[in-house]
Amino acid sequence: MKSVAKLIHKTYMSYLPTAFPAHYYGMPDGKIYLVFSRFYEVDYGKTGLEFIFAEHKEFMYDYENDIIVNVDELTEKKPVFKETIDKPAPKIKIIKIKRNLNSYGEAHIHLNQEAQKRKKYA
């Protein structure tokens, strides 16, 4: 399967509520999705790892030109640095939480399948 979700930024230390890495992906429909993981309690004293898929509400992604744009400045389309999307108090919307994934690689495959669906309708 060809990769459709483009990895645009990866950080090991982020402003998100996790101690794990965060991956930011540009989608064909212009949205930026982020994937991060965190622990959750399965049972008393037992934890698991869940992967959170969220949409960034402050930035858009020009898929064809590989440019990140601030939503507030869409008319001017001034590109921003990729590191800018990882900021304090980000405005994100959690889309999905998956507990049956084992790695960021599996999370990327899942996100890529979603991107394939979006590309057909974009």
Side-chain angles (χ1 to χ4, degrees):
M1 173 188 295
K2 185 181 177 207
S3 182
V4 176
K6 291 183 184 178
L7 180 64
I8 54 177
H9 182 60
K10 178 180 177 180
T11 179
Y12 293 99
M13 293 176 57
S14 74
Y15 290 98
L16 298 168
T18 182
F20 295 106
H23 298 198
Y24 294 82
Y25 292 92
M27 302 296 273
D29 61 0
K31 296 181 179 175
I32 294 178
Y33 271 40
L34 55 140
V35 178
F36 63 97
S37 59
R38 65 184 178 199
F39 287 117
Y40 71 97
E41 191 169 345
V42 177
D43 199 5
Y44 182 74
K46 294 183 181 179
T47 60
L49 196 61
E50 63 185 7
F51 286 84
I52 291 81
F53 296 83
E55 179 185 335
H56 210 307
K57 299 305 239 175
E58 296 173 279
F59 298 95
M60 296 292 289
Y61 183 66
D62 184 340
Y63 193 83
E64 298 299 320
N65 298 313
D66 194 29
I67 297 171
I68 299 168
V69 180
N70 191 325
V71 171
D72 295 334
E73 299 171 1
L74 253 172
T75 54
E76 298 174 28
K77 267 201 167 179
K78 290 191 285 185
V80 298
F81 290 110
K82 295 178 180 187
E83 296 83 10
T84 307
I85 59 178
D86 181 36
K87 59 190 262 332
K91 293 178 185 168
I92 61 172
K93 177 183 176 188
I94 295 177
I95 304 297
K96 189 182 291 187
I97 298 173
K98 304 267 304 169
R99 292 183 172 176
N100 61 342
L101 301 175
N102 297 310
S103 68
Y104 279 94
E106 288 181 16
H108 181 248
I109 290 169
H110 174 76
L111 189 61
N112 200 43
Q113 290 168 344
E114 291 296 316
Q116 288 282 4
K117 292 177 194 174
R118 291 172 185 274
K119 191 171 185 181
K120 290 177 186 175
Y121 301 112

